[in-house]
Amino acid sequence: MSISRRKFLGWLGAAGLGATVGQKAARAASNKHFDGYPESNGVLFDNTRCIGCRKCEEGCNKVNELPEPDRPFSDLSQLDTKRRTTAKAYTVVNRYDDTGGGKGPLYLKIQCNHCLEPACASVCFVSAFKKTATGAVTYDASVCVGCRYCMIACPFEIPAYQYDNAFSPKVMKCTMCFPRISKGLLPGCVEACPTEALTYGKRGDLLRIGRERIRKFPDRYVDHIYGENEMGGTSWLYLSQVPFKEVGLREDLGVTPAPALTSGALSVVPMVVGLWPVLLGGVYAINKRKEKIEQQEKAQAVAAAVEATEAEAKAKMKEALEFQEKQKEKAIAKAVSQALEEAAKAAEEKVSETPAEDADKKSSKEDS
Amino acid sequence: MSDEVTTTGKSYLTPFNIIAGIIIIIGLYVTVLRFTKGLGAVTNLSDYNPWGIWIGFDLLVGVALAAGGFVTSSAVYIFGMKKYHSAVRPAILTGFLGYAMVVVALNYDVGRPWRLPYPFIIQRGTTSLLFEVAACVALYLSVLFLEFSPAALEWLGLKKLRNILMKLTLLLTIFGVVLSTLHQSSLGALFLIAPSKLHPLWYSPYIAVFFFVSAVIAGLSMVIFESTLSHRYFADKMDEAHLKEKDDIALGFGKAAALVLAGYFIIKVIGISEGNNWHLLGTPYGIWFLVELIGFVALPCFFYAIGVREKNLKIIKWTAAWTVLGIIVNRLNVGLVAFNWHLPSSERYFPHWMEIAISVFLVTVLLLIFRFICTRMPIMYSHPDYPEEH
């Protein structure tokens, strides 16, 4: 290989460090709390003032140069159906009919809430979303891959996608009119609102205004500013005459900022990268060693077995030899005693019977 | 299935090839539509449902079922279970093709596929779990390619390069396990960001662990399942070692799967407990959750154990197929069924037939490539020039 191991490890280290230190890391378990950029802006929506005229939708459409709607903005029958933000509408107004208590129809305008710590920005793998110091959460279409994870992540279900655009589809969502507010202008919807249901200003001021209204008219408002703490706080704030869930705002989102939901899982990554090779290398080494020992033991056992068999064979051989020797001796002794016996017999015969048989005598001598 | 490619001159018009051909023609037609008219023309995706089956099935299921590669190679090369050596190459090949299919499928799903390298070369979003998934999948695909390449190099007769790659085996295996741990779990962790959208029975702070552990189960079961199918269709391609080790592999992997399933069952119950979601078990979603937990986790765990105890390969093979189905059910539950459960049914997602067509098309292409490779390269047998080294 042309790259040295040192170099390779160096690269690995750099990549790891880059991934862990390169960005502002979200920390779930720390005492750091982000209150939003100081002096950042927001909008306060007050549904006791909203008359459902849809002028805000029209204003938004115009300043953001969005496509013509299917039905004109003056057509209030549009409010009969519940709508959400789409690729053609950054903001929509929904009507909530008399919810009991004779409060009449109420309206709620939805659009991007510009979270202080946005879920969309946290999950975007090309960092296309940014929480700017102005308060606006902006989107950079020039880097967007179109994975749509932002839409999965957004607890308010705001970002929409240009599904019908084959070659340059974009995520579409309210930008708090970032180009306009940067120039000191009002967002399109706020400017268009005839009843001051929308108030643009510093988020801190808006919270004070909201509390003041609730204090002054406790009968008119629910004692809560939606967005003050939801999902860690949003730049868009809501006052309502009825509980927020009755006008389509979820009350079960909690106050945990989105990045805290994933920071734990992300924090495990470097640990796995650091420790897994050690663990797996260790398991490998243990197995390798076990195998080696096994082989050694096997070799030893074989050697011992061979030795034992050899010794046994030797002993057997010795025994056999001895046995053979004894047999031989026995045979000799037997033969000798037999010969002697025969000789003795022959002598006796010679003495008792006729001494004339010379031939017999000769042969018996030869036999012995 | 395999004979017509091995014997040249024979007709290609087998029922399998005809059906595959039709699927491919439809797939190509939908592909052209997708890339000329946009996602809207071929999918039922909406602003509420930005992820459909191309994520729920192709990505989540595809990656889980491709886990056999890292499970088998780590068992053999790291944990020293050399008697399963003959399972490594088929598992690596499946893994490699599976991941390749996932990446191809992502090209269909994302809005601007030509920008897929952007997270690495233009602007990194490291606070995103999707960044981790993307990085690990890209790296692991490369690792799998390197792990697979010795087979191709043996086929091509490039000995030197092949021997260099064989020396990297341990390093690649360890790297592969690290990457698999990270992205298998991160696919689950993708959903951590949406506690308000995923049903509480499936949403859990442990979801990353659930995904990793169930991926191990998927890997083990896929090896058994696949070896059953391979034995059926590629028996003539298998050498003695493969045929001899085949039953051992089913028994060994079945035993491992029974154990891991037992562990998975326990941590899933701990998951219910952690969220104190017991009261939800009586709801329709709860019953469906129980079907998954009892029917596709506890039951296969039990049958794997029985199969191993009785040395009954038939039970083990059927259980493997059932477990694979269970993994599919789980991933679709998290990605589609239990996701957006709070929305009215009119806003829920059901795939367009063309989305299904693309998924079927990609799986078919994967099978064809698998067959092409298995009938040519030393996957299910050892190359005569390189007798198994152990």
Side-chain angles (χ1 to χ4, degrees):
Chain A
M1 270 201 317
S2 56
I3 16 165
S4 69
R5 179 149 71 170
R6 181 181 295 246
K7 226 181 202 171
F8 176 70
L9 289 174
W11 288 347
L12 261 188
L17 274 182
T20 47
V21 188
Q23 301 248 335
K24 289 163 277 174
R27 291 175 194 283
S30 85
N31 52 2
K32 296 239 163 53
H33 173 61
F34 182 63
D35 277 329
Y37 289 106
E39 303 290 293
S40 71
N41 300 296
V43 176
L44 177 68
F45 170 77
D46 185 338
N47 79 354
T48 66
R49 300 180 175 198
C50 181
I51 54 167
C53 64
R54 301 184 66 208
K55 287 275 191 270
C56 51
E57 288 186 42
E58 191 175 11
C60 172
N61 178 281
K62 215 173 277 168
V63 301
N64 289 298
E65 289 162 5
L66 296 172
E68 277 285 302
D70 300 335
R71 287 153 78 178
F73 289 107
S74 55
D75 182 359
L76 294 185
S77 67
Q78 182 67 273
L79 295 171
D80 294 342
T81 47
K82 199 166 169 278
R83 295 172 299 154
R84 59 156 285 161
T85 52
T86 66
K88 293 175 183 168
Y90 288 166
T91 185
V92 294
V93 175
N94 279 314
R95 187 182 72 221
Y96 295 88
D97 288 325
D98 192 354
T99 47
K103 293 200 169 140
L106 286 172
Y107 302 91
L108 196 96
K109 173 187 180 298
I110 48 173
Q111 70 299 304
C112 175
N113 285 328
H114 301 276
C115 303
L116 300 183
E117 297 178 69
C120 54
S122 144
V123 301
C124 182
F125 71 163
V126 285
S127 291
F129 293 94
K130 292 249 153 55
K131 178 72 177 176
T132 64
T134 61
V137 176
T138 59
Y139 162 73
D140 177 5
S142 73
V143 293
C144 178
V145 180
C147 71
R148 309 184 297 281
Y149 192 18
C150 48
M151 297 163 69
I152 291 282
C154 178
F156 303 106
E157 298 170 323
I158 294 304
Y161 199 64
Q162 293 179 325
Y163 287 107
D164 294 324
N165 185 340
F167 302 108
S168 54
K170 291 194 281 269
V171 170
M172 302 294 279
K173 80 163 195 71
C174 156
T175 62
M176 208 191 268
C177 286
F178 180 70
R180 285 172 61 89
I181 60 173
S182 305
K183 281 187 270 179
L185 297 168
L186 285 175
C189 57
V190 177
E191 195 174 67
C193 181
T195 62
E196 288 184 17
L198 293 166
T199 314
Y200 174 81
K202 306 267 176 254
R203 185 173 184 266
D205 296 342
L206 296 177
L207 283 170
R208 274 187 288 279
I209 292 170
R211 285 193 202 109
E212 186 62 15
R213 285 188 200 166
I214 293 171
R215 191 187 66 77
K216 268 191 186 159
F217 308 102
D219 298 338
R220 198 191 287 173
Y221 294 105
V222 170
D223 187 12
H224 181 70
I225 303 174
Y226 192 94
E228 184 175 4
N229 296 311
E230 276 73 12
M231 292 305 293
T234 59
S235 294
W236 215 282
L237 303 165
Y238 300 81
L239 285 175
S240 174
Q241 199 170 346
V242 297
F244 292 95
K245 66 176 174 207
E246 287 172 23
V247 286
L249 290 173
R250 291 185 68 167
E251 292 179 344
D252 59 350
L253 298 178
V255 297
T256 311
L261 293 167
T262 53
S263 59
L266 284 168
S267 70
V268 176
V269 175
M271 293 296 107
V272 170
V273 173
L275 290 179
W276 242 220
V278 178
L279 184 74
L280 297 168
V283 170
Y284 172 77
I286 289 170
N287 275 316
K288 193 91 181 163
R289 185 167 169 277
K290 220 166 78 185
E291 254 168 47
K292 205 175 156 193
I293 290 175
E294 247 166 42
Q295 263 169 3
Q296 276 175 352
E297 280 177 349
K298 212 193 242 169
Q300 272 174 3
V302 167
V306 165
E307 215 170 277
T309 358
E310 264 175 8
E312 205 178 314
K314 247 185 207 164
K316 253 189 193 156
M317 181 78 93
K318 207 175 153 194
E319 212 171 278
L321 280 175
E322 274 169 10
F323 183 71
Q324 217 173 350
E325 199 79 5
K326 263 184 201 160
Q327 290 293 90
K328 216 175 173 180
E329 273 169 22
K330 253 187 204 165
I332 291 172
K334 203 177 168 190
V336 168
S337 65
Q338 214 171 359
L340 284 175
E341 245 170 61
E342 267 173 33
K345 236 185 204 170
E348 255 172 52
E349 273 172 17
K350 206 179 162 186
V351 174
S352 59
E353 284 176 24
T354 49
E357 285 178 22
D358 272 306
D360 268 14
K361 201 167 128 195
K362 215 176 190 177
S363 74
S364 73
K365 248 183 200 169
E366 272 170 15
D367 277 350
S368 68
Chain B
M1 188 164 118
S2 66
D3 23 13
E4 72 276 5
V5 255
T6 47
T7 350
T8 44
K10 244 189 179 177
S11 170
Y12 279 85
L13 290 177
T14 60
F16 175 84
N17 283 357
I18 292 170
I19 295 169
I22 294 169
I23 291 171
I24 285 172
I25 290 167
I26 296 172
L28 290 175
Y29 165 73
V30 180
T31 302
V32 171
L33 267 187
R34 153 68 187 91
F35 289 106
T36 53
K37 306 270 184 213
L39 282 164
V42 296
T43 70
N44 277 345
L45 297 176
S46 66
D47 293 331
Y48 278 122
N49 303 288
W51 286 356
I53 58 163
W54 291 349
I55 296 294
F57 181 79
D58 298 17
L59 176 65
L60 298 186
V61 173
V63 168
L65 296 189
F70 95 89
V71 170
T72 314
S73 59
S74 60
V76 172
Y77 297 125
I78 296 175
F79 293 92
M81 305 177 188
K82 293 187 174 162
K83 61 175 174 171
Y84 305 138
H85 192 267
S86 65
V88 172
R89 277 199 177 170
I92 293 285
L93 176 62
T94 320
F96 173 55
L97 293 178
Y99 276 87
M101 189 206 81
V102 166
V103 173
V104 173
L106 286 179
N107 278 278
Y108 283 81
D109 186 76
V110 301
R112 304 197 208 193
W114 53 92
R115 287 183 174 179
L116 274 171
Y118 273 28
F120 313 116
I121 57 171
I122 302 289
Q123 197 161 280
R124 283 177 298 141
T126 49
T127 56
S128 172
L129 279 152
L130 196 60
F131 181 84
E132 195 196 324
V133 170
C136 289
V137 167
L139 284 172
Y140 188 49
L141 183 63
S142 323
V143 168
L144 280 168
F145 175 74
L146 292 177
E147 286 188 303
F148 159 72
S149 55
L153 294 171
E154 284 170 17
W155 179 53
L156 297 168
L158 299 168
K159 280 193 183 179
K160 255 193 189 155
L161 200 52
R162 182 259 179 205
N163 290 337
I164 292 172
L165 279 164
M166 288 303 280
K167 284 195 185 114
L168 292 175
T169 302
L170 179 66
L171 192 70
L172 288 174
T173 306
I174 291 180
F175 200 32
V177 177
V178 170
L179 293 170
S180 294
T181 309
L182 291 178
H183 72 259
Q184 293 285 4
S185 57
S186 295
L187 282 175
L190 285 180
F191 294 92
L192 281 175
I193 197 75
S196 57
K197 295 185 184 177
L198 184 59
H199 191 282
L201 281 170
W202 281 274
Y203 184 91
S204 162
Y206 303 128
I207 193 169
V209 183
F210 293 163
F211 264 58
F212 175 67
V213 176
S214 55
V216 173
I217 296 165
L220 292 166
S221 301
M222 268 306 275
V223 170
I224 302 173
F225 179 62
E226 204 191 296
S227 121
T228 312
L229 292 185
S230 294
H231 185 242
R232 190 136 161 211
Y233 297 109
F234 299 114
D236 58 322
K237 291 281 155 201
M238 292 183 165
D239 64 6
E240 238 173 80
H242 264 86
L243 294 170
K244 212 173 65 200
E245 288 174 17
K246 190 176 63 72
D247 295 351
D248 260 358
I249 290 167
L251 286 171
F253 278 51
K255 192 190 233 172
L259 278 170
V260 184
L261 273 165
Y264 182 60
F265 180 81
I266 291 168
I267 59 173
K268 284 290 271 189
V269 174
I270 291 174
I272 311 174
S273 212
E274 187 276 339
N276 199 11
N277 292 321
W278 300 102
H279 63 289
L280 292 172
L281 292 177
T283 63
Y285 274 101
I287 288 162
W288 181 233
F289 180 83
L290 284 176
V291 168
E292 188 195 314
L293 185 64
I294 306 293
F296 290 102
V297 180
L299 201 68
C301 173
F302 178 70
F303 274 108
Y304 264 134
I306 296 272
V308 171
R309 190 170 180 272
E310 314 274 314
K311 298 215 183 323
N312 186 331
L313 292 169
K314 209 169 179 187
I315 294 183
I316 293 180
K317 283 169 186 172
W318 279 105
T319 309
W322 186 249
T323 311
V324 168
L325 183 65
I327 297 295
I328 298 175
V329 168
N330 170 257
R331 295 304 194 262
L332 292 182
N333 277 346
V334 172
L336 303 172
V337 178
F339 192 80
N340 274 342
W341 67 291
H342 62 289
L343 291 179
S345 58
S346 59
E347 301 292 353
R348 297 299 304 275
Y349 162 87
F350 191 83
H352 193 280
W353 73 265
M354 290 205 255
E355 291 179 79
I356 300 172
I358 288 296
S359 291
V360 173
F361 164 66
L362 292 174
V363 172
T364 308
V365 172
L366 184 145
L367 281 177
L368 288 174
I369 298 176
F370 187 83
R371 183 177 73 171
F372 177 89
I373 293 175
C374 282
T375 48
R376 284 163 180 79
M377 299 182 195
I379 303 297
M380 306 196 185
Y381 58 93
S382 298
H383 195 283
D385 293 354
Y386 313 90
E388 281 187 69
E389 297 134 339
H390 66 245

